[in-house]
Amino acid sequence: MTQWYYADRQRRQLGPLPATEIARLFRGGEVDAATLVWRDGMAAWQPLGTMRAELGLDEAPPPTLDFRAAPEPVPAAAAGSPAGVEAIPPVPQVPAHAASGGHAGYTYAAAAATVDADDVVHAGLWRRFAASVLDGFITGIISYALLIPLMLVFGLSMSNLASGGFAETGMSVGFLTLNYAISFGVPALYFAWMHSSSSQASLGKMAVGVKVVRGNGDPVGFGRALLRYVAYLVFAIFTCGVGVLVSGLMVAFTQRKQALHDMLCDTLVVDRYAFTAQPQMQKRGLDTVTVVVLVIFGLLMVLGIIAMVAFIGMLSSMRWH
């Protein structure tokens, strides 16, 4: 009777088992079509779904099966193997950053192969813009939730203090200092924390299905994520917004779709399944959330322009004395 081996999600080799036992595990949901299997006479481990006929499986394979997985090269026979017995090839390994969990909240199939640079889907301009719109809305809410009580406190304090010029000036400087600290500090801490977390993405990026990684696919640390936002802020402030426009053009036309702050900090914005054990799950083009955000943003822009034109027309029709 032919004996089979299979690899679990921790890449441990289990077996030998008869074909009937492999079929039972499949029907019980303990293994799936992407689970790697091997038997004597096979050159390399193969996804279970490709061996359905031989194993007698009558169910259709789950959609996680990736038939594009290239066959592994036949390894040399292990030293000390008994004569006439074929050595069991090692179970193919996934990248270190994928094996450690990859993108939080997603389970990776065991049969995925190592990702080449050519297989990485980089986030384009519009997905990144939609993520920025969402993140700007989120950080704006957080900032104003802190600033509004601060404004009330400083307003009441200034009205109750002695009406000395130095006191009012001191309170004004103190309020402006806290105002700028919150306005710039909240987004900086938000992006640094989110991009260095297990999700590798801010809430806006998670919504559009992208994440931030190092140039080699490794996760980004807190310090690098903070430096990335500071670099973006510096470009935006000291160029009066021109740096943001230049960064957008670079995302649209560079090969790896890197902005200026990405190049400086050696980071990439890629699809959430990039550099994981499921590269076949990556999506090119625009996702549904991106399209919805862009449509709503466009409508708001059109309404704003119409309102501005109407206001200017109303002012011009008024008679001034």
Side-chain angles (χ1 to χ4, degrees):
M1 179 181 295
T2 303
Q3 298 296 309
W4 291 80
Y5 297 82
Y6 74 96
D8 63 9
R9 295 188 184 277
Q10 287 72 43
R11 312 304 258 188
R12 295 176 299 185
Q13 175 185 301
L14 302 177
L17 297 172
T20 54
E21 180 63 14
I22 298 292
R24 186 192 67 81
L25 293 174
F26 177 81
R27 296 188 181 99
E30 298 181 49
V31 297
D32 58 22
T35 300
L36 296 180
V37 296
W38 182 88
R39 60 162 172 75
D40 186 28
M42 291 173 56
W45 293 76
Q46 297 293 332
L48 186 149
T50 63
M51 313 300 294
R52 288 179 59 247
E54 186 172 350
L55 289 168
L57 304 178
D58 50 4
E59 294 89 355
T64 57
L65 178 62
D66 182 14
F67 289 99
R68 299 175 294 173
E72 298 288 332
V74 181
S81 296
V85 177
E86 185 176 355
I88 301 175
V91 180
Q93 297 299 312
V94 297
H97 45 270
S100 63
H103 192 276
Y106 299 92
T107 303
Y108 305 122
T114 303
V115 182
D116 302 301
D118 294 338
D119 296 325
V120 176
V121 175
H122 298 90
L125 174 62
W126 296 119
R127 289 178 80 175
R128 294 182 62 162
F129 178 77
S132 297
V133 171
L134 294 175
D135 285 326
F137 181 74
I138 293 169
T139 55
I141 290 178
I142 298 174
S143 297
Y144 278 109
L146 297 174
L147 284 173
I148 290 175
L150 188 65
M151 293 170 64
L152 294 176
V153 169
F154 271 82
L156 291 174
S157 299
M158 292 176 66
S159 63
N160 293 331
L161 288 175
S163 58
F166 292 103
E168 292 184 1
T169 302
M171 294 297 293
S172 299
V173 171
F175 171 75
L176 289 176
T177 301
L178 289 175
N179 180 27
Y180 283 117
I182 292 174
S183 299
F184 295 129
V186 166
L189 294 176
Y190 167 79
F191 286 112
W193 172 54
M194 294 296 293
H195 289 165
S196 61
S197 67
S198 59
S199 65
Q200 299 177 257
S202 59
L203 295 177
K205 288 183 176 65
M206 282 192 277
V208 301
V210 300
K211 64 183 179 182
V212 178
V213 297
R214 292 283 304 276
N216 60 359
D218 289 339
V220 176
F222 182 87
R224 187 177 296 272
L226 180 61
L227 178 63
R228 181 177 182 271
Y229 178 77
V230 171
Y232 167 80
L233 196 62
V234 168
F235 289 142
I237 293 176
F238 286 95
T239 63
C240 299
V242 176
V244 177
L245 178 60
V246 173
S247 292
L249 293 175
M250 293 177 67
V251 170
F253 296 108
T254 55
Q255 182 179 6
R256 298 203 296 173
K257 303 187 184 302
Q258 287 179 293
L260 286 171
H261 53 287
D262 287 317
M263 292 184 175
L264 177 65
C265 301
D266 184 34
T267 56
L268 299 172
V269 181
V270 296
D271 187 272
R272 66 186 177 191
Y273 287 106
F275 298 107
T276 70
Q278 274 187 319
Q280 73 277 7
M281 297 294 292
Q282 298 178 90
K283 295 181 180 179
R284 301 185 185 276
L286 303 181
D287 63 293
T288 304
V289 175
T290 299
V291 173
V292 171
V293 171
L294 292 177
V295 169
I296 294 176
F297 183 83
L299 290 175
L300 291 176
M301 289 292 293
V302 171
L303 291 176
I305 293 173
I306 293 174
M308 184 179 298
V309 171
F311 180 73
I312 294 174
M314 182 182 66
L315 289 178
S316 62
S317 64
M318 294 177 63
R319 295 183 178 181
W320 300 94
H321 300 283

